[in-house]
């Protein structure tokens, strides 16, 4: 925190055409910086989104082209998220019953997303996804691989760990 650098754009796509939200960041054992977020650019309506990911291999000075890592669109307006449930709140001796739905409370997945790394250097983003009709936890495994030490080129290799963790 003693020094700061100028901001760096993580995703070079035109953000005016989409909404990007719920970012997560992690650094792997090789010093690569991974950033994950929800993005509406490929969604069929204003509520849908996909999980995206970008990597920097130069300490955050620049980022490689972002990749969509969710195979399917998350659909918060799906049937399972629209079921009405009741919440009970006790307030100074009075009990309030409030009807609500998952979509109403967590239209953008709630707080159930994050990014970590493992001891092999893989990035493991975790996100709330409602492609099935109700929010569930999804994950992928992302590895940074270097094609050539001579031209310093880098690519990202996306390997699916599992589609759904309940």
């Amino acid at each position: 925190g003693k020094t700061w650098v100028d901001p760096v754009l993580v995703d070079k796509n035109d953000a005016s055409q989409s909404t990007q939200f719920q970012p997560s960041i992690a650094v792997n054992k090789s010093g690569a910086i991974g950033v994950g977020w929800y993005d509406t650019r490929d969604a069929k309506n204003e509520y849908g989104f996909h999980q995206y990911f970008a990597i920097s291999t130069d300490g955050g000075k620049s980022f490689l082209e972002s990749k969509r890592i969710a195979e399917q669109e998350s659909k918060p307006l799906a049937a399972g998220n629209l079921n009405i449930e009741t919440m009970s709140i006790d307030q100074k001796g009075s009990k309030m019953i409030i009807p609500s739905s998952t979509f109403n409370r967590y239209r953008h997945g709630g707080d159930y997303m994050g990014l970590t790394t493992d001891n092999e250097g893989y990035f493991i983003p975790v996100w709330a996804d409602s492609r099935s009709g109700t929010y569930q936890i999804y994950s992928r495994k992302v590895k940074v691989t270097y094609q050539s030490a001579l031209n310093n080129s880098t690519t990202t290799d996306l390997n699916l760990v599992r589609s759904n963790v309940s």
Side-chain angles (χ1 to χ4, degrees), residues 29-99:
K29 69 179 189 173
S30 300
I33 301 169
V35 180
W37 67 93
Y38 293 152
D39 197 309
T40 64
R41 78 179 77 162
D42 301 320
K44 294 181 177 102
N45 66 47
E46 65 184 289
Y47 296 110
F49 56 85
H50 289 89
Q51 179 75 7
Y52 270 76
F53 187 81
I55 290 177
S56 172
T57 59
D58 61 6
K61 294 176 186 163
S62 64
F63 283 81
L64 300 172
E65 182 180 348
S66 64
K67 306 275 185 187
R68 187 176 87 189
I69 60 172
E71 306 94 347
Q72 296 179 34
E73 179 180 343
S74 182
K75 300 174 183 175
L77 281 171
N81 293 334
L82 297 177
N83 290 334
I84 300 298
E85 300 170 359
T86 57
M87 297 184 331
S88 175
I89 299 174
D90 286 324
Q91 190 172 25
K92 296 182 180 179
S94 295
K95 188 170 265 197
M96 296 188 316
I97 306 296
I98 302 170

Side-chain angles (χ1 to χ4, degrees), residues 8-12 25-28 30-37 53-66 115 123 142 144 146 154-156:
V8 174
L9 195 59
V10 171
D11 182 46
K12 295 170 182 63
I25 188 169
V27 179
N28 75 3
S30 300
I33 301 169
V35 180
W37 67 93
F53 187 81
I55 290 177
S56 172
T57 59
D58 61 6
K61 294 176 186 163
S62 64
F63 283 81
L64 300 172
E65 182 180 348
S66 64
L115 180 62
F123 288 94
V142 180
V144 180
Y146 295 88
T154 308
T155 61
T156 54

